[in-house]
Structure formats: C-alpha cells, structure tokens
Amino acid sequence: MTQEEMLTHVDHTLLVQTATWDDIKQILDDAMKYKVASACIPASYVKEAAEYVKGKLAICTVIGFPNGYATTASKVFMAKDAVNNGAKEVDMVINIGWLKDKKYDELESEIKAVKEAVGNLVLKVIIETCLLTDEEKIKMCEIVTKAGADYIKTSTGFSTAGATFDDVKLFSKHVGKNVKIKAAGGIASLDDAYKFLELGADRLGTSRIVKLVKGQEATGY
C-alpha cells in the first residue's frame, strides 16, 4: 500500500476542547491537500466547515462524545443537527453503562435510532475498548452488526487508552460482513497506520498521521 493510498483511509481529526476556527481551517486545508477520507471535528464547527470545503471533503463529527451517556433522544437530535449542518459522517459513543448492565436491546435500539437519523450517510459506533472486556467487545460487534451501523470504532481517544492491534484483530473475527472497522486513538506512527490497515481496519482516526507526512516533506524524506 502506498502512502497516498493509506491517507485515503484517514479521518484527520481535531477534537480538543480548545480548538479554534483557525485550528479547524488548518485541519481542513491539510485534509483536502492530502486527500484523506474525512476531517473529524467538533459539531459546533460542522456548518462553517462544510461551507468552507465546498464539497471537496467529507466532514465528520462526533455525538454523545466522549462519555456516551447522553440520552438516546439527545443523540438522535445531535445526529440530525449534524447532518442538517452538512456532516457526511457521524461517530457516536455507546452508553457503556448499559453494556455493563447487559442492556443489549437498549444499545441496539439506540444505534438503530441514530442510524435512522443519519440515513444513507455513514454512522460509526465508538465502543471505547479500553473500558471493556473481550466478551463485551465481542457482544458489541454483534450489536453493531444487528443495528445496521456502517462502522465499529475502537476509541474516543479521550479515555485511558486508544486503539490496539489486538482489538482490531478481535473485531475482524466477530463483526458482520457489512460492518467496517475504524481504529482511533493513539495512532502515532506511519508503521502503526499501515499495520492497523493490514489487520483489517478500513479507517484510522488520528491527528498525527498527516502531521508526520508533512514532516517528511519538510525534511525531504
């Protein structure tokens, strides 16, 4: 896989609380230059960002982020609002407490409701793997598949750890054929990016990969 091909799998991400519009514009400019899959940014910037890129880049945002314990109704509202503002992809966080309580029907219903709000656009479901047992991760592969989401995603990047190779391997074994995998959180090197894709990830949520590529260009490597 070439570097250019790898970049087409990147969701170039900026979700820190201090992000300004100037910071977001830099993310958007770099995302368009390097032809990544999307720019993943806070919901408050989606409308402005969509107008700025003029259809040249998919805008992604997050809902129920980063803790996942907002009500289903509020997640549905946030998803609809994001789509109305121009988002083409939505990454939602599950209610982790529900998973611990084995409220599997509620989890599936919530994902279905958000997917209905998103419609034909892309829905990724963040399950925050660092807080789960392997059994819980496998159960979420089943629930995400049954609920009709487009992706299962490892992490928010705001908890105790991010994506691991083992989690992507586990997802690859247990997720349905129609569900893709997004690895996110802590992807810090180009070698790691390639490895995650080799193991079965289709998307990489990262703030660092484009910066590393820019650094290569600056140094002539």
Side-chain angles (χ1 to χ4, degrees), residues 132-185:
L132 308 182
T133 65
D134 281 353
E135 290 75 17
E136 289 166 340
K137 295 169 194 175
I138 291 168
K139 187 63 181 180
M140 282 311 307
C141 286
E142 175 189 327
I143 291 170
V144 170
T145 300
K146 288 174 64 179
D150 301 283
Y151 282 80
I152 187 168
K153 177 178 169 182
T154 60
S155 319
T156 62
F158 280 70
S159 190
T160 57
T164 69
F165 297 143
D166 285 343
D167 284 337
V168 171
K169 289 178 186 176
L170 188 71
F171 285 1
S172 295
K173 290 178 182 176
H174 294 282
V175 80
K177 293 180 180 179
N178 295 326
V179 180
K180 297 176 182 178
I181 297 167
K182 178 175 175 179

Side-chain angles (χ1 to χ4, degrees), residues 7 10 12 21 24-39 49-59 210:
L7 287 166
V10 167
H12 191 30
W21 174 240
I24 297 294
K25 280 198 296 184
Q26 185 63 62
I27 289 290
L28 299 174
D29 288 340
D30 287 343
M32 289 187 285
K33 177 180 178 180
Y34 292 99
K35 297 180 172 60
V36 300
S38 79
E51 292 169 352
Y52 183 76
V53 302
K54 295 181 172 64
K56 298 174 185 175
L57 172 71
I59 302 299
V210 169

Side-chain angles (χ1 to χ4, degrees), residues 4-55:
E4 289 74 19
E5 289 170 330
M6 180 271 289
L7 287 166
T8 66
H9 294 275
V10 167
D11 289 344
H12 191 30
T13 302
L14 180 64
L15 295 169
V16 296
Q17 298 94 324
T18 55
T20 66
W21 174 240
D22 283 343
D23 297 328
I24 297 294
K25 280 198 296 184
Q26 185 63 62
I27 289 290
L28 299 174
D29 288 340
D30 287 343
M32 289 187 285
K33 177 180 178 180
Y34 292 99
K35 297 180 172 60
V36 300
S38 79
C40 189
I41 60 173
S44 58
Y45 290 114
V46 165
K47 185 175 177 61
E48 202 170 1
E51 292 169 352
Y52 183 76
V53 302
K54 295 181 172 64

Side-chain angles (χ1 to χ4, degrees), residues 58-115:
I59 302 299
C60 173
T61 195
V62 290
I63 65 167
F65 193 89
N67 295 314
Y69 47 42
T71 65
T72 297
S74 64
K75 290 180 183 179
V76 168
F77 175 85
M78 285 187 280
K80 289 179 178 178
D81 186 54
V83 169
N84 288 339
N85 285 334
K88 300 300 183 186
E89 304 190 0
V90 168
D91 293 15
M92 67 169 285
V93 186
I94 66 162
N95 188 316
I96 297 163
W98 282 359
L99 178 58
K100 299 291 183 183
D101 282 336
K102 297 181 168 52
K103 293 184 176 180
Y104 304 139
D105 290 343
E106 288 90 336
L107 284 163
E108 183 180 341
S109 294
E110 178 169 276
I111 297 168
K112 284 181 175 177
V114 177
K115 178 57 183 172

